[in-house]
């Protein structure tokens, strides 16, 4: 059974249903959209990218999952036992495997756990809604600016130059978060660099003027637990 330095009450309950531990290698898929869904996973270590292929073939990254996060929850209490997202390993690690049927039984029996789980699901939906709001209201620019703000909240470090995003990202990875092409992201990043809003060194982004990004997308200053990339 995995051990975490800090776990919530509801996660402790989930850990009791863990069946086994599975190693995962970078570049592999934990599961893919459309495949049979009989398992859920808690991330012990490493990072997993949750994404969906949109109709025109582009990839839209919805969130990054790291230690302590639950994956595959959208299949719970659903008659169609198919995964609706792709889960790609971007940093090797381990996951705890939970059988879907066992967790469904535990949620049905434990009302406190069920309530906590509903709160968690609600928060995940709110994250998605705010992300799509920025995309719908402000287009591709809004999607990129929103992503940069979320990255700063998840991986940002305050420096004299601004907020350093410690996780290196390629322009294609940023494009996946925005549901757009790499060429569009290249152009938007170039404009931000030209105006000294950001700088990029070997894939590491430093945001010099985060207020500019927030003003451009009419940022509502949501709490960090909502405005993040995870």
């Amino acid at each position: 059974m995995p051990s975490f330095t800090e776990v919530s009450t509801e996660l402790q309950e989930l850990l009791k249903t863990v069946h086994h531990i599975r190693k995962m290698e970078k570049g592999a898929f934990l599961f893919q959209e459309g495949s049979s869904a009989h398992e859920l996973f808690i991330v012990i270590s490493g990072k997993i990218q949750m994404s969906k292929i949109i109709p025109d073939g582009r990839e839209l990254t919805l969130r990054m999952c790291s230690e302590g996060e639950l994956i595959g929850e959208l299949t719970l209490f659903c008659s169609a036992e198919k995964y609706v997202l792709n889960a790609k390993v971007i940093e090797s690690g381990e996951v705890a495997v939970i059988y879907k049927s066992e967790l469904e039984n535990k949620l049905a029996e434990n009302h406190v756990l069920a309530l906590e789980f509903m709160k968690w699901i609600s928060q995940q939906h709110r994250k998605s809604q705010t992300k799509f709001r920025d995309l719908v209201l402000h287009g591709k620019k809004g999607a990129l600016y929103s992503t940069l703000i979320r990255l700063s909240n998840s991986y940002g470090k305050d420096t004299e130059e601004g907020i350093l995003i410690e996780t290196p990202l390629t322009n294609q990875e940023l494009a996946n978060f925005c549901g757009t092409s790499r060429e569009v992201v290249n152009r938007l990043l170039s404009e931000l660099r030209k105006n000294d809003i950001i700088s990029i060194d070997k894939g590491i982004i430093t945001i010099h003027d985060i207020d500019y990004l927030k003003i451009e997308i009419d940022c509502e200053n949501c709490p960090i637990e909502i405005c993040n990339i995870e």
Side-chain angles (χ1 to χ4, degrees):
M1 180 173 292
S3 61
F4 296 90
T5 55
E6 295 181 10
V7 294
S8 61
T9 301
E10 61 270 24
L11 186 52
Q12 290 177 24
E13 290 295 323
L14 288 177
L15 289 176
K16 294 177 184 177
T17 69
V18 168
H19 187 266
H20 62 277
I21 307 301
R22 182 180 301 170
K23 291 186 179 295
M24 51 184 192
E25 300 296 329
K26 181 178 180 180
F29 283 90
L30 195 58
F31 55 79
Q32 290 182 278
E33 183 177 354
S35 59
S36 297
H38 302 295
E39 299 172 330
L40 291 87
F41 309 89
I42 297 175
V43 182
I44 301 173
S45 61
K47 286 188 175 65
I48 297 175
Q49 170 186 288
M50 304 301 297
S51 65
K52 188 173 184 66
I53 303 300
I54 52 182
D56 64 5
R58 286 177 292 154
E59 183 178 22
L60 175 61
T61 299
L62 297 175
R63 62 180 181 151
M64 304 284 280
C65 298
S66 53
E67 180 181 340
E69 293 200 66
L70 182 67
I71 297 173
E73 75 286 348
L74 296 179
T75 65
L76 283 171
F77 300 105
C78 181
S79 57
E81 296 186 348
K82 301 288 185 181
Y83 290 115
V84 296
L85 300 174
N86 297 307
K88 185 177 182 179
V89 181
I90 59 171
E91 182 182 298
S92 298
E94 294 182 326
V95 291
V97 180
I98 299 173
Y99 287 145
K100 176 175 175 283
S101 57
E102 292 182 13
L103 181 56
E104 287 175 339
N105 290 336
K106 183 169 283 292
L107 289 172
E109 295 168 357
N110 187 326
H111 293 172
V112 174
L113 176 59
L115 179 59
E116 292 296 332
F117 191 82
M118 287 172 62
K119 289 179 181 178
W120 183 84
I121 289 290
S122 177
Q123 181 163 298
Q124 296 306 312
H125 284 321
R126 187 177 173 193
K127 287 182 184 180
S128 297
Q129 286 174 346
T130 57
K131 181 174 182 177
F132 290 133
R133 175 203 63 199
D134 295 336
L135 177 58
V136 171
L137 294 180
H138 302 285
K140 297 167 183 176
K141 182 181 75 171
L144 176 61
Y145 290 10
S146 173
T147 296
L148 291 173
I149 293 169
R150 291 169 187 273
L151 285 168
S152 73
N153 288 334
S154 293
Y155 305 117
K157 175 183 177 181
D158 289 327
T159 69
E160 291 183 358
E161 299 297 322
I163 302 174
L164 178 73
I165 299 174
E166 296 186 296
T167 297
L169 291 165
T170 66
N171 287 7
Q172 184 59 62
E173 288 170 330
L174 283 173
N176 291 347
F177 276 114
C178 303
T180 187
S181 67
R182 185 180 60 197
E183 290 73 21
V184 169
V185 167
N186 290 346
R187 176 175 56 78
L188 292 172
L189 289 175
S190 294
E191 291 175 359
L192 290 174
R193 294 174 74 175
K194 180 180 179 181
N195 294 320
D196 201 31
I197 306 300
I198 67 168
S199 59
I200 305 175
D201 182 20
K202 298 178 180 178
I204 299 293
I205 298 173
T206 299
I207 302 175
H208 304 297
D209 189 351
I210 197 163
D211 288 336
Y212 172 86
L213 301 178
K214 290 182 176 182
I215 291 171
E216 286 292 301
I217 62 170
D218 299 320
C219 178
E220 297 179 358
N221 290 312
C222 297
I224 290 180
E225 57 266 25
I226 297 297
C227 185
N228 60 55
I229 213 72
E230 300 177 328

